[in-house]
Amino acid sequence: MQNLQLSRSLRPPISGAEVENALSEMGRGRAPGPDNIHVELIEALGDWVIDKLTEMVNLICDSGGMLSGMSKSVVMVLPGKPGANECGLHRTTSLMSHITQFLLCVLMEGVRNGIRPEVGDIRFGFVPDGGTGNVIFTLAAMVDRCIGMQKDV
């Protein structure tokens, strides 16, 4: 397995504000993973848990690995429709630890923030508020204008 650690010179340490933001974005009222820890329980610990989670995330980033229990999930097969009796009518879902989901949220936001300046505004499907619908509309307007002016597209 590759070592995924980044040296401190390549990235700043993850701040408590980033951790707090990721925690606020976590879904509430959802089933916990194998560790049976709910997001609401994590929030109930207040500022103390923000400090501890910040330490944990930075330690994981520095070491390049995490505890083996954090990578475990419970896979469940659910019927897609009531009374489904064929395999094709079922779907699977995975229950992952909320701490792991939180960690992934923090890391993904860091990656997004690092990549955002590198991705130009013309990469429509890959930037916020730059959906392909905007491009399709602009292209259709240009084609319409060219046809109106009897020019080749």
Side-chain angles (χ1 to χ4, degrees):
M1 187 163 140
Q2 294 179 351
N3 192 355
L4 300 175
Q5 76 186 62
L6 294 173
S7 70
R8 287 284 174 151
S9 63
L10 296 177
R11 65 156 186 85
I14 294 167
S15 69
E18 290 174 288
V19 168
E20 201 166 356
N21 183 45
L23 191 57
S24 70
E25 291 181 11
M26 294 284 295
R28 308 294 184 272
R30 296 186 176 181
D35 62 2
N36 208 25
I37 298 174
H38 293 262
V39 174
E40 294 83 0
L41 176 64
I42 298 167
E43 283 182 321
L45 296 172
D47 291 338
W48 176 83
V49 80
I50 299 295
D51 295 337
K52 293 301 175 187
L53 286 174
T54 304
E55 286 178 31
M56 179 190 74
V57 170
N58 281 305
L59 182 64
I60 287 171
C61 287
D62 291 343
S63 69
M66 58 185 185
L67 299 173
S68 61
M70 291 180 74
S71 61
K72 291 183 180 172
S73 63
V74 176
V75 178
M76 299 173 15
V77 178
L78 303 172
K81 296 178 181 179
N85 55 5
E86 294 179 25
C87 291
L89 300 177
H90 287 74
R91 61 185 178 86
T92 58
T93 188
S94 170
L95 293 177
M96 184 186 312
S97 163
H98 286 189
I99 295 287
T100 304
Q101 290 176 0
F102 157 78
L103 172 66
L104 293 173
C105 184
V106 170
L107 295 177
M108 284 302 296
E109 190 58 32
V111 168
R112 279 189 203 104
N113 290 339
I115 291 175
R116 205 168 278 138
E118 303 297 324
V119 176
D121 292 338
I122 59 170
R123 301 294 297 202
F124 288 101
F126 302 98
V127 294
D129 298 327
T132 55
N134 298 340
V135 179
I136 293 169
F137 174 77
T138 304
L139 209 57
M142 287 173 51
V143 168
D144 189 44
R145 177 87 180 203
C146 288
I147 291 171
M149 298 182 78
Q150 298 178 348
K151 298 283 184 182
D152 290 338
V153 178

